[in-house]
Amino acid sequence: MSDDEKNAPDKEHGVQAPPAIPLHEEPAAKTTKWGIPKRYVLLAMTWLGFINIYSMRVNLNVAIVGMVNDQTISKGRLHFIKKAEFNWDSALQGLVLGSFFYGYWVLQIPGAWLAMRIGGTRVFGYGVFVTSLLALLTPVATRYSVWGLVGVRIFQGLFLGVTFPCNHAIWSKWAPPFERSTLITISIAGCPFGNIVAIPLTGLLSKYGFDGGWPSVFYCFGTSGIIWYCCWELVVHESPATHPTISKEERELIENSIASSDNKAQFEGLPWHHILRCKAVWAIVIGHFGACWGYYTLFTGMPTYFKDVLDFDIEQTGFLAACPYLFKALLAPLGGILADYLIKHNILRIGTVRVIFYAVGCLLAGVFIVATSYATTRHMCVIFLVLGVGFSGLNAIGYAVNHLDIAPQYAGVLMGLTNTFASTPGFISPQITGIVTKHKKQEEWRIVFWITMIVYVVAVIGYSALCSGYRQPWAGGRDQVELSEKERDEENGKKGHRDILQ
């Protein structure tokens, strides 16, 4: 059969067949004269971008410990108390910590639309740049009024809300299918690495930094984000087709393997009716919501838990709260590599891989998080939290990559849609935590952790029941009923062949 015949439209299903590159056969990655494929340069810059994003998201969670609590400062043999600058009760602290997410959910779908209109890389960069400028304004706004801080955090959430949809839009153009899980999980592994960098550094700056300590946190991370943006604009390009120095081999490898001619989408032509009625989409919504409930509960509450329940000072809190994210940052990319291996070698179907990793990540995380509230020593609490947060990194291999499985050309929009729902735990969970833990007792935190476990279990059940690894009909894929019948026919054919041989 000629190449033209192979690439002819599928007459039976009316779908343009992708060029004849086997999905599970990984061609050798040709490099440029510099020796580094451009998609890996993009991966490094995206990873660094998420480090900056999460540094600016998490810094207040630690800095607020120093802002509202007295601190003991030791210099040689001298010890003195640095008085807290603000007197906010636990409910107000919960409002402040959750304010970021009041803005975060707003631009999820519009962010995907902007990515389609002017480019995912550009919108991603602009989001980080504007948020960095707002970080520099945070100390002034906070000292003016607590509502000034709330306002700045809302706008930071607004502009960072575009980043995850843009990330999926970027990789829909740059990620070959056989590298999809690996590239996405490594890029978003910058999130826990951002926590690893920001949490201990925030603890140190809050205690020893300039301008009263905590303001130096926002000055430093805001400056870092602006430097990253300058580098991003210099080295990153929208697609392989527009990259001026990419090798011909790499460009053809990427464009052919993802069948780029089939994956071009216009926001105005989105099949919203089918998207909103699709079980696979609602599976991701459920999975994303459950994963984010657990993440945001610990993300916003763990520094406070270390200070109020385990009685660590802010410097110790910073370093200890970073430990779980180190385990998560190492485990998630390894899980992504294993998932791609299972898919590429046809060991498990894509949907099965997504469900297994999501369930393992959520359930193990839930067990260890609940165990934390029953631990009788500080060391056991820390160990259980490290394991709980670390294993939660596996759930992203399920829901976070699933958008590209079911509708690669609409992945950015779907990420915006699911992240809109998944952002709500960001402001609901801190409010519940603040109300439940008014007396700062471990028994109160036990309720918070049990709520997290219950949400995880419900999410696993819902995601497992509705998840699909197939490209959906409204995204150019075949109907799953047709695929199931074809698979049964193939299996029956294999069985009949074995019977004849016997």
Side-chain angles (χ1 to χ4, degrees), residues 289-299 369 389 392 425 429 452 455-456:
F289 180 93
C292 284
W293 183 282
Y295 179 77
Y296 291 139
T297 298
L298 297 176
F299 178 74
I369 289 169
V389 174
S392 71
S429 178
T452 301
V455 172
Y456 271 150

Side-chain angles (χ1 to χ4, degrees), residues 46 50 53-54 57 100 103-116 118-131 154-170 228-229 232 411-417 419-420 423:
T46 308
F50 276 112
I53 289 167
Y54 267 69
R57 285 177 65 163
F100 176 93
Y104 185 67
W105 69 272
V106 175
L107 287 185
Q108 295 295 320
I109 296 176
W113 176 79
L114 286 171
M116 286 184 175
I118 67 175
T121 57
R122 293 176 66 184
V123 178
F124 188 93
Y126 295 158
V128 178
F129 177 67
V130 175
T131 304
I154 289 174
F155 277 103
Q156 283 188 309
L158 190 71
F159 288 105
L160 285 186
V162 304
T163 52
F164 269 99
C166 285
N167 185 51
H168 276 60
I170 291 168
W228 171 88
Y229 171 73
W232 177 263
V413 175
L414 292 183
M415 184 63 184
L417 174 65
N419 210 20
T420 299
S423 300

